[in-house]
Amino acid sequence: MALTLDPLYGELQDEARAVAATIEPIAFEADARSTVHPDVVDALSKSRLCTLVVPARYGGRFAVIDPLAVCVVREVLMATSSQLDSLFALQGIGSYPLTLGGSDALRERWLPKIAAGEALAALALTEPEAGSDLKSISTELAASDNMLLLRGNKAFISNAGVAAIYSVLAREGPSHSMVLVPADSPGLTVTAIPELIAPHVLGDLAFDDVMVSPGDRLGEPGRGFDLVRATLSVFRISVAGAALGVAQAALEEAARHAASRQQFGRPLARLGAVAALLADSWSELEAARLLAYRAGELAREDPARALAQSSMAKLLATETAGRIVDRAVQIMGRFGLVRGSKIERLYRQARPMRIYEGASEVLREGIARALVDEIASP
Ligand SMILES: Cc1cc2nc3c(=O)[nH]c(=O)nc-3n(C[C@H](O)[C@H](O)[C@H](O)COP(=O)(O)OP(=O)(O)OC[C@H]3O[C@@H](n4cnc5c(N)ncnc54)[C@H](O)[C@@H]3O)c2cc1C
């Protein structure tokens, strides 16, 4: 396993840095909103970044989506703006079930627009009563004449209200299926949700007997979880990337502060306890980064087989980011508590990452299961 990244990934990070730099002046404003900032969408669609999450055949950059590329780009974007990062990531997360399971005609219709950033995508799994336990969802898909009828509610859906397409998981008979629902489908309504501690473009969806064409099915009937699992195995690593971005930005803030502020006649960074906080943070960040990149390399070869590594990468990076932002605030003392400061924003933004796309406790269960399977198998 090569631990030095191919220069391609450095070039992708430079490309992402250039896009992030155009957003930097409005990042605070964009990240304080639960609605899309037009300049952020604009910057994303003018860039070529969204081509990274669509296969080349439909206007994307590479023949197949490279999880490591998405991871390293998110690391850069998130260090500047969570809204920029989220919009980029969702282009992939929301459209991947279509990439894998859509008919050629359906892919031709939507994926070039996703790659160009002209249409935004969303993935609708969570429901008011079903979060981690997705098998208990109650949204239903049923046959009706020559069409399919979708009925139910989804909750906390990123890009709700701005997405052009929703990849929706629903119960179908004894099993689960996925369908693609265009945002303008009659019977689909979006409602706002209370603002989060780290604002995010989110909403609830109601499907009130929405008619879905059989051509808008994603994957085989009853195989919805195959698509969910495949999406997670490719994109979970990218959450690790975003967490690395938050942690890196927080560590830089703390290190700059600790180098410049003097107490007891020397810089804070020369006080042993503060030096230890900085050293632990940097060491843990580097370890989390190595694991994330390694998981990205494994997932590039075979995303499904890398699911345990992707989960470990997400678990380690998000838990590490939580510790690093907390230590950074501690190092900065009262200056770390100022509302509207960069460190305050990072402190809030690190928190949801340990809950979405697999809460840490749920990931630990899956990782432990994979370990036992590996040890127990001959
Ligand atoms: C910013 C943000 C964006 C989101 N975007 C989307 C989106 O685009 N699409 C979408 O479908 N959903 C989205 N969600 C929802 C997200 O996927 C859920 O919040 C997540 O799956 C957890 O579900 P829950 O919040 O209902 O928590 P619950 O499932 O109620 O779990 C609560 C807590 O219980 C513990 N727990 C749960 N199960 C287990 C277990 N098996 N073992 C041990 N402990 C357990 C964990 O500590 C967990 O944090 C988003 C959420 C957030 C915060």
Side-chain angles (χ1 to χ4, degrees), residues 86 90 93-94 121-134 154-160 167 169 193 196 198-203 351-366 369:
S86 168
L90 280 156
I93 295 167
L123 178 69
L125 309 176
T126 307
E127 299 191 353
E129 302 306 326
S132 308
D133 181 13
L134 278 180
K154 295 287 175 184
F156 265 65
I157 305 306
S158 300
N159 277 358
S167 297
L169 180 72
I193 64 160
L196 301 194
H200 194 93
V201 181
L202 276 173
R351 193 63 190 86
M353 295 180 164
R354 287 155 60 196
I355 293 177
Y356 61 66
E357 287 207 41
S360 293
E361 295 70 24
V362 177
L363 295 182
R364 286 188 182 101
E365 290 218 326
R369 249 196 326 271

Side-chain angles (χ1 to χ4, degrees), residues 3 23 75 143 178 330 364 367:
L3 290 177
I23 292 304
E75 184 180 346
M178 285 196 94
Q330 194 68 18
R364 286 188 182 101
I367 294 165

Side-chain angles (χ1 to χ4, degrees), residues 193-244:
I193 64 160
E195 195 164 88
L196 301 194
I197 56 168
H200 194 93
V201 181
L202 276 173
D204 289 351
L205 307 174
F207 300 95
D208 190 6
D209 286 346
V210 171
M211 298 284 250
V212 178
S213 148
D216 287 352
R217 263 194 192 280
L218 302 176
E220 297 293 314
R223 308 297 304 180
F225 272 100
D226 292 353
L227 295 179
V228 172
R229 270 190 289 273
T231 303
L232 292 180
S233 46
V234 170
F235 288 96
R236 189 168 274 164
I237 298 162
S238 78
V239 184
L244 297 174

Side-chain angles (χ1 to χ4, degrees), residues 109-319:
R109 177 153 176 225
W110 289 108
L111 288 178
K113 290 188 182 142
I114 301 290
E118 287 165 11
L120 299 181
L123 178 69
L125 309 176
T126 307
E127 299 191 353
E129 302 306 326
S132 308
D133 181 13
L134 278 180
K135 293 228 161 107
S136 70
I137 59 168
S138 57
T139 295
E140 253 188 307
L141 189 68
S144 167
D145 298 325
N146 294 327
M147 296 292 276
L148 299 163
L149 212 57
L150 185 66
R151 182 182 300 165
N153 295 282
K154 295 287 175 184
F156 265 65
I157 305 306
S158 300
N159 277 358
V162 293
I165 48 166
Y166 297 93
S167 297
V168 182
L169 180 72
R171 183 174 284 282
E172 185 175 26
S175 164
H176 299 85
S177 302
M178 285 196 94
V179 285
L180 185 114
V181 180
D184 58 1
S185 303
L188 167 57
T189 49
V190 180
T191 48
I193 64 160
E195 195 164 88
L196 301 194
I197 56 168
H200 194 93
V201 181
L202 276 173
D204 289 351
L205 307 174
F207 300 95
D208 190 6
D209 286 346
V210 171
M211 298 284 250
V212 178
S213 148
D216 287 352
R217 263 194 192 280
L218 302 176
E220 297 293 314
R223 308 297 304 180
F225 272 100
D226 292 353
L227 295 179
V228 172
R229 270 190 289 273
T231 303
L232 292 180
S233 46
V234 170
F235 288 96
R236 189 168 274 164
I237 298 162
S238 78
V239 184
L244 297 174
V246 166
Q248 178 72 39
L251 184 57
E252 286 175 14
E253 287 289 295
R256 266 193 294 270
H257 183 86
S260 62
R261 180 166 170 79
Q262 304 260 337
Q263 290 292 288
F264 301 98
R266 56 193 136 146
L268 290 178
R270 299 267 177 249
L271 299 171
V274 174
L277 291 175
L278 288 169
D280 286 349
S281 294
W282 194 17
S283 310
E284 289 171 27
L285 176 58
E286 289 296 319
R289 182 174 280 128
L290 283 178
L291 182 61
Y293 290 180
R294 179 174 183 273
E297 288 199 332
L298 286 173
R300 195 181 48 199
E301 310 306 324
D302 187 350
R305 287 197 60 202
L307 187 56
Q309 270 71 22
S310 314
S311 299
M312 286 181 223
K314 195 243 172 194
L315 174 67
L316 186 67
T318 58
E319 292 288 333

